[in-house]
Amino acid sequence: MLGVVTVSSPTQSISWNFHPRICFPDRIPPNKIHTFPVLSTFPARLSLQKHTSPRTHFSPKAAASSVGSAEYTEEPSTKVKFQTSLSLPGCSSALSLLGTGYREKVFAIIGVKVYAAGLYVNQAILSKLDAGKGRSATEIQEDSHLFDSIFQAPLEKSLDIVLVRDVDGKTFWDALDDAVSPRIKSPTPVDKSALSTFRSIFQGRPLKKGTSIFLTWLDPTKMLVSVSADGMPSGVDATIESTNVTWALYDVFFGGDPVSPSLKASVANGLATVLK
């Protein structure tokens, strides 16, 4: 994401322009965390409770350096914990964590982390990625067609964006819009309506640290947006029906110039692990 970050002190709230999210349950006791390879297996299904532990996040070395239990993975840079399996509103089955990462903005030569993010997919998507079998994480990361195949698959995938700092809703939307709009060269009335619907979710809405924003693609033409201040979402805040808008959002994170290189690298590493 491109934009400006304003910091009054390392512990204060900041304003920034970026691209989004996360789901943030309670904290996992240190003695319950064990090292495990992310996505070495896909949990069959996880039935979520109202109060559960937070989730994980990934850096470029995520698969190798993350720590977690059988149900959670922790991103070492932000300490955000992601559940390895989620059941989300509107999805036909549980989704499995494929990789995590974080978004960092540089201000006065100081890197400021603004959110962590994890990509979840319907496990059936993996059967459509034969082109990735036997390839290294580096090869997969550079294969735009493979990432396009994930988007084009008519199966659910969801990006969980977890804020690690307070931000007001307008600032969040402006940063997101700055990343999405340039990717839509000639917006149609449908695109403009979808962006207006998307914008309305965040106007006048304070987003506190730990807020989770779920972008859930049901298929290439439809995306659900859910915002939760304290864990898993109970419903859907908006439905976005515009192929141009849904693709632009996906491209922000998994295109040729991703706003979170650590997230895309982690997903590529996860794919290399499960597609051996």
Side-chain angles (χ1 to χ4, degrees):
M1 312 169 184
L2 301 177
V4 176
V5 179
T6 302
V7 182
S8 54
S9 77
T11 59
Q12 297 300 311
S13 302
I14 65 172
S15 295
W16 37 271
N17 284 335
F18 80 125
H19 313 34
R21 166 15 181 161
I22 143 185
C23 186
F24 205 0
D26 300 328
R27 189 162 296 171
I28 300 175
N31 64 346
K32 297 297 185 181
I33 296 179
H34 305 287
T35 300
F36 78 109
V38 174
L39 244 182
S40 55
T41 59
F42 273 73
R45 187 181 184 91
L46 176 64
S47 178
L48 299 176
Q49 301 297 320
K50 174 65 175 178
H51 299 288
T52 52
S53 306
R55 311 197 278 258
T56 283
H57 146 216
F58 252 73
S59 69
K61 302 177 181 177
S65 61
S66 295
V67 292
S69 68
E71 296 182 353
Y72 293 91
T73 299
E74 180 184 86
E75 192 282 305
S77 295
T78 61
K79 305 303 181 184
V80 173
K81 295 176 176 64
F82 293 90
Q83 293 179 340
T84 56
S85 181
L86 294 179
S87 294
L88 295 171
C91 292
S92 61
S93 63
L95 307 183
S96 299
L97 182 64
L98 192 57
T100 64
Y102 64 91
R103 172 59 172 157
E104 183 176 73
K105 294 294 294 181
V106 177
F107 176 76
I109 76 172
I110 298 175
V112 179
K113 296 177 179 64
V114 292
Y115 64 82
L119 178 66
Y120 292 83
V121 301
N122 184 315
Q123 188 176 357
I125 287 178
L126 300 178
S127 65
K128 301 181 179 298
L129 303 178
D130 290 344
K133 289 185 177 179
R135 302 175 67 187
S136 68
T138 299
E139 291 174 321
I140 290 175
Q141 185 175 352
E142 296 174 350
D143 189 343
S144 61
H145 295 296
L146 188 65
F147 277 91
D148 287 347
S149 295
I150 295 175
F151 174 74
Q152 294 297 337
L155 295 163
E156 303 99 339
K157 43 266 176 190
S158 184
L159 185 68
D160 179 15
I161 298 168
V162 183
L163 300 180
V164 296
R165 293 180 180 273
D166 294 349
V167 63
D168 67 271
K170 182 180 184 302
T171 299
F172 182 92
W173 166 255
D174 288 346
L176 185 59
D177 187 46
D178 284 346
V180 171
S181 292
R183 288 173 163 83
I184 306 175
K185 303 303 181 183
S186 301
T188 66
V190 171
D191 301 333
K192 293 177 181 179
S193 176
L195 288 171
S196 177
T197 298
F198 208 168
R199 180 189 307 113
S200 67
I201 301 172
F202 302 105
Q203 296 303 306
R205 184 174 194 166
L207 302 173
K208 299 297 185 180
K209 176 181 177 180
T211 296
S212 296
I213 302 164
F214 290 86
L215 306 179
T216 303
W217 294 268
L218 300 183
D219 58 48
T221 68
K222 182 181 295 186
M223 184 183 74
L224 307 180
V225 182
S226 300
V227 181
S228 176
D230 57 359
M232 294 303 301
S234 58
V236 174
D237 288 88
T239 300
I240 307 300
E241 297 186 79
S242 161
T243 301
N244 287 336
V245 173
T246 59
W247 174 85
L249 277 162
Y250 182 84
D251 187 70
V252 163
F253 293 94
F254 304 108
D257 185 23
V259 297
S260 174
S262 61
L263 173 61
K264 187 174 180 180
S266 174
V267 169
N269 199 37
L271 288 170
T273 300
V274 298
L275 295 176
K276 286 182 177 178

